[in-house]
């Protein structure tokens, strides 16, 4: 269960190679290409599971004048368009990622808040079949595993 602390290793597929450029991605989803949208997409691609403050700091490296409100508006628009996924681990700020559409889950460190991806636990999405759906049609299941990341486990040695 990898925890995302650093960018992908050299030679690993990147968001850009899998999905084209941020501009291509925006156009495919029928959205205008704007500098704030590109900066936010670049930020989330380089920092999976980043919160809005981290996205803002990263976006400002490419676009120093981008406002806090613009980043929040872009995160909201990209989430609504299905380009980003918003996850909300209990007791932690919302996080954003570009891995969408596969109903994966997450593991969260109780101590430092690091978040990692966990592929679907069993079978096909939504991974878990509830005993009763109360009439709902279930298309997604959100599972959050909690524990200590390797760094925090080593520190508590």
């Amino acid at each position: 269960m990898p925890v995302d602390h650093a960018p992908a290793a050299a030679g690993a597929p990147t968001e850009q190679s899998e999905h084209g450029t941020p501009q291509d991605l925006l156009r495919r989803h029928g959205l205008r290409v704007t500098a704030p949208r590109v900066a936010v997409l670049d930020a989330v691609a380089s920092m999976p599971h980043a919160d809005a403050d981290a996205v803002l700091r990263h976006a400002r490296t490419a676009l120093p004048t981008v406002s806090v409100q613009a980043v929040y508006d872009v995160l909201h628009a990209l989430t609504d368009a299905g380009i980003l996924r918003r996850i909300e681990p209990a007791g932690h700020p919302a996080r954003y990622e570009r891995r969408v559409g596969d109903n994966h889950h997450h593991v969260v460190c109780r101590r430092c808040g690091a978040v990692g991806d966990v592929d679907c636990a069993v079978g096909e999405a939504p991974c878990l079949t509830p005993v009763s759906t109360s009439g709902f049609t279930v298309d997604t299941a959100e599972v959050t595993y909690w524990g200590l990341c390797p760094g925090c486990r080593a520190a508590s040695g």
Side-chain angles (χ1 to χ4, degrees), residues 11 24 38 41 45 52 62 65 75 81-82 84 97-98 102 105 108 115 117 122 128 130 134 142 147 154:
D24 294 337
V38 170
L41 279 171
T65 60
L75 288 168
L84 297 182
E97 65 182 349
R98 286 184 56 180
D102 68 348
H105 307 301
V108 180
V115 177
D117 289 329
V122 177
L128 303 174
S134 301
E142 289 189 22

Side-chain angles (χ1 to χ4, degrees), residues 23-127:
Q23 294 85 345
D24 294 337
L25 185 60
L26 291 166
R27 287 184 190 107
R28 275 198 310 275
H29 282 83
L31 297 175
R32 283 186 321 117
V33 175
T34 65
R37 287 177 176 168
V38 170
V40 166
L41 279 171
D42 285 341
V44 176
S46 69
M47 300 180 312
H49 308 124
D51 63 21
D53 289 339
V55 171
L56 173 66
R57 285 191 303 275
H58 190 281
R60 282 186 170 163
T61 63
L63 191 63
T65 60
V66 70
S67 71
V68 172
Q69 188 61 51
V71 168
Y72 277 94
D73 290 347
V74 168
L75 288 168
H76 182 75
L78 297 179
T79 301
D80 284 349
I83 296 171
L84 297 182
R85 179 177 177 191
R86 177 185 167 119
I87 61 169
E88 299 180 59
H92 296 270
R95 309 286 184 97
Y96 297 87
E97 65 182 349
R98 286 184 56 180
R99 184 176 172 186
V100 297
D102 68 348
N103 194 206
H104 67 281
H105 307 301
H106 296 95
V107 60
V108 180
C109 181
R110 290 185 188 280
R111 188 168 297 151
C112 71
V115 177
D117 289 329
V118 178
D119 288 330
C120 196
V122 177
E124 297 177 27
C127 300

